[in-house]
Each structure stands twice: as C-alpha cells, then as structure tokens.
C-alpha cells in the first residue's frame, strides 16, 4: 500500500481525534525549523498514541524525547482524569515550543518537563511498577538503557512503546552500519528476548514497538 499524504489525511479524518488548531500550528512551527522537523511524529501516529493511552486508562505516562511536543500532546489528551505525563528532554529551545503548545491546548497542568539527560530522570523515578504507558523516542544509542529503566517501572498490563525501530526500513540491511541502526538492532533483540513483555512491532510510521508488560 503506497502511504501518501492524502491517504494519511483520509485515515486521520476517519479517526476520533482530529488535528486541531494547536497540533496544526505546532506542525507548521516545527516544519519552519528545517530538516530536524523530520523527528516529529505524524498525525496518524499521534492518534494511535492517544488511543493506546486510553486503552490502558493511563494515569501515569512517561515520554523520553519530547522535541517540540507533538507526541506529548497526543499522549496527554488521552490521559485519564487526574493523569499526568512526565516528559524527558535535553533541549530548552525545542521544548519551548512544546510548552507553548501545552498551554494553548489547556494541557500544561498535566505535563511535567524535566530538562536533563533522560537516563538521569528515569533512574530517579520510584522503582515500583507505577507507569501505565511509556514512549521512547530520543537518542537511539540510549534505547536499551531507557528500556532497562522503564520496563521494571511499568505496571502489569501497561505499555512500553518505542519509535523508529525499523529505521526507514534499513534495520535488517547488513550494509547499513551507522551507529543508530546498530543501536536499534541491539534494542530490537533485547526487547524480543525480554520475557517480561509481549511484543508486536508495527510496520508503520518508522517502525513502532508496542510491548505489554505481563
Ligand atoms: C525524535 S525527537 C522526539 C520527537 C517527539 N517525540 C515528537 O513527536 O515530536 C528526539 C528528542 O530526544 C531528545 N534527546 C536526545 N538525547 C536525549 C537525552 N540523552 N535525554 C533526553 N532527551 C534527549 C532531543 O532533544 C529531541 O528533542
């Protein structure tokens, strides 16, 4: 199936969460940043994040890699009453756009941003299983470490999600040996061998791992 922009618009138009003004403006503001805008998830993936957040009735969610805030808005809008999202990022500049969008969307009171290397933030979290949903979308070299910190903290039935795991379809091409591809291969192998979770890898977007804690 050729995934065109028109097909994505059609799919999103038939989902429950339209691209509202805040998301549309954020998409435009992010595009104006140049090629880094490619790091932003698309509206179809955003809807899936909202849906999954609702499926697990998430009250406590964690995002590793917030950038300008698109995915955080999609998770935050799916949270249960009284729920909260902890966002981890290192960029003051990019997350300034996220903060503005959270305010505009009326979601700022549900979101806490910690500007620090995500590994430090995750290690400082309570160690008991209290997280309902975690979304990993930061530096690829950190994925295994983020997984190792998050997996024990996600409650049974909760979800661990990881983005970009098929790396533009090059993940199984041995000729592709850049550090990100190598790190993502290692990550995918770690997840596949982890008995604590049940896993499906979606051949959609840039590859999305969906793992349910047993
Ligand atoms: C792919 S972008 C996230 C995209 C975002 N989820 C979205 O949908 O718009 C990756 C983000 O990870 C952040 N990042 C990179 N290394 C990090 C680290 N060690 N700790 C926390 N955040 C990091 C970058 O600043 C960047 O904003």
């Amino acid at each position: 199936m050729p995934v065109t922009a028109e097909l994505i618009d059609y799919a999103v138009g038939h989902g429950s969460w339209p691209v509202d003004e805040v998301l549309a403006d954020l998409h435009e503001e992010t595009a104006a940043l140049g090629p880094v805008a490619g790091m932003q998830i698309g509206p179809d993936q955003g809807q899936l994040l909202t849906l999954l957040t609702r499926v697990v009735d998430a009250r406590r969610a964690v995002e590793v890699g917030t950038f300008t805030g698109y995915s955080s808005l999609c998770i935050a809008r799916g949270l249960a009453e009284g729920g909260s999202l902890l966002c981890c990022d290192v960029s003051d500049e990019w997350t300034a756009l996220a903060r503005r969008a959270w305010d505009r969307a009326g979601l700022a009171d549900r979101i806490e941003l910690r500007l620090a290397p995500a590994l430090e933030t995750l290690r400082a979290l309570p160690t008991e299983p209290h997280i309902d949903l975690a979304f990993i979308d930061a530096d690829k070299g950190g994925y295994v470490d983020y997984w190792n910190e998050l997996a024990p903290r996600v409650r049974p039935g909760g979800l661990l999600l990881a983005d970009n795991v098929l790396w533009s379809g090059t993940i199984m091409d041995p000729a592709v040996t850049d550090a990100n591809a190598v790190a993502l291969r290692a990550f995918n192998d770690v997840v596949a061998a982890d008995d604590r979770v049940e896993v499906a890898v979606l051949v959609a977007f840039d590859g999305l791992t969906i793992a349910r804690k047993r």
Side-chain angles (χ1 to χ4, degrees), residues 19 29 33 61 63 72 79 85 96 103 111 119 179 188 210:
V19 176
E29 288 166 26
L33 297 176
E63 173 176 85
S72 62
L79 289 169
L85 168 66
D103 277 335
I111 304 175
L119 199 53
N188 290 337
I210 304 181

Side-chain angles (χ1 to χ4, degrees), residues 46-130:
Q47 274 193 348
L48 178 62
L49 288 180
T50 306
L51 181 73
L52 292 174
T53 306
R54 291 188 63 73
V55 163
V56 295
D57 195 24
R59 272 156 217 288
R60 288 212 178 78
V62 175
E63 173 176 85
V64 181
T66 294
F67 189 41
T68 58
Y70 201 103
S71 51
S72 62
L73 284 171
C74 296
I75 294 169
R77 70 182 174 180
L79 289 169
E81 192 64 35
S84 63
L85 168 66
L86 174 65
C87 285
C88 308
D89 208 289
V90 286
S91 171
D92 200 10
E93 185 195 337
W94 289 334
T95 56
L97 293 178
R99 285 183 198 272
R100 273 217 303 278
W102 299 336
D103 277 335
R104 281 187 68 199
L107 293 168
D109 61 338
R110 298 180 171 204
I111 304 175
E112 181 194 348
L113 172 65
R114 293 209 193 143
L115 277 180
L119 199 53
E120 283 176 21
T121 301
L122 297 180
R123 283 187 175 148
L125 294 178
T127 50
E128 78 267 11
H130 65 287

